[in-house]
Amino acid sequence: MKKNILILCAVLLLAACGQKNKTEQPQEQTQTEAANDYSHLNPAQNDGQTAIKEDLSGKVISLTASEFLERVTDIDPERGLRYKGMTPCIVDFYADWCGPCMQLKPITEKMAKKYKGQLIIYKVNVDKAQDICQALNISSIPTLLFMKPNTQPGIMVGAPTEAELEKTIQEFLER
């Protein structure tokens, strides 16, 4: 995990050095089942800014690029990545055509249910969020980005087994 954090820091540094002012093209917005039921939303405070709503339903939540920037983090070369939520999260960068990504899908769904209320699992389709992936230098999938308030993100590249992901999540939540 320490090696993954070092890799992420290097990636973020390279992204910050090479980042240009880009305007993101609007992408089609989609809503998940969970987004329609607001009873499980937790308003998270964000450095005095507008509170964001966190979905603590225990479901894996698909995000568009604009939703990623709204709910998870802004990509700011000067400030780095700062998680906007209060509940720790994992962002699964995947593609529908990726075999290992599809093998990971039921595992992430199981972990979302198991850690309901303690952890949010988001999914970002790399084919529909290319600007985000480019800014974060995500070149291999699946890639899991582990984020929580006031800590540097962690990263895991490749499809872990259920036991490996469970162990990593436990370590992540204990930090």
Side-chain angles (χ1 to χ4, degrees):
M1 189 66 167
K2 289 180 183 177
K3 180 181 174 186
N4 291 338
I5 292 172
L6 291 175
I7 291 170
L8 177 63
C9 290
V11 166
L12 294 175
L13 181 61
L14 290 174
C17 293
Q19 180 72 24
K20 297 178 184 170
N21 286 336
K22 292 184 179 182
T23 55
E24 183 178 327
Q25 296 296 321
Q27 295 194 7
E28 182 178 314
Q29 297 272 331
T30 59
Q31 289 189 336
T32 61
E33 270 183 47
N36 294 327
D37 176 13
Y38 298 104
S39 63
H40 51 273
L41 296 178
N42 176 35
Q45 297 303 320
N46 178 7
D47 290 345
Q49 299 174 355
T50 306
I52 61 167
K53 300 269 186 195
E54 292 185 323
D55 185 335
L56 303 177
S57 66
K59 296 179 181 178
V60 175
I61 304 158
S62 294
L63 299 178
T64 64
S66 59
E67 290 170 331
F68 175 85
L69 294 173
E70 178 184 315
R71 292 188 189 187
V72 181
T73 185
D74 290 318
I75 299 171
D76 184 346
E78 294 175 13
R79 292 174 47 193
L81 294 181
R82 292 171 34 106
Y83 181 48
K84 293 181 175 184
M86 294 302 296
T87 305
C89 80
I90 298 173
V91 183
D92 176 9
F93 291 91
Y94 78 102
D96 292 327
W97 48 263
C98 168
C101 298
M102 294 301 106
Q103 291 174 335
L104 184 57
K105 183 179 177 179
I107 297 171
T108 57
E109 289 171 351
K110 184 175 183 178
M111 294 299 126
K113 287 177 188 171
K114 181 172 186 171
Y115 291 97
K116 177 180 177 178
Q118 301 174 57
L119 178 71
I120 301 169
I121 299 182
Y122 295 114
K123 292 178 71 76
V124 175
N125 187 323
V126 297
D127 293 328
K128 296 179 181 176
Q130 293 177 1
D131 288 348
I132 300 293
C133 295
Q134 183 180 6
L136 296 175
N137 286 335
I138 293 174
S139 58
S140 297
I141 54 174
T143 293
L144 301 175
L145 185 64
F146 294 78
M147 300 189 80
K148 61 181 175 179
N150 304 316
T151 62
Q152 290 297 312
I155 193 166
M156 177 182 276
V157 178
T161 65
E162 185 176 330
E164 290 169 334
L165 184 56
E166 173 94 32
K167 181 180 178 201
T168 303
I169 288 172
Q170 288 175 355
E171 291 172 359
F172 169 64
L173 293 175
E174 289 172 4
R175 283 193 270 138

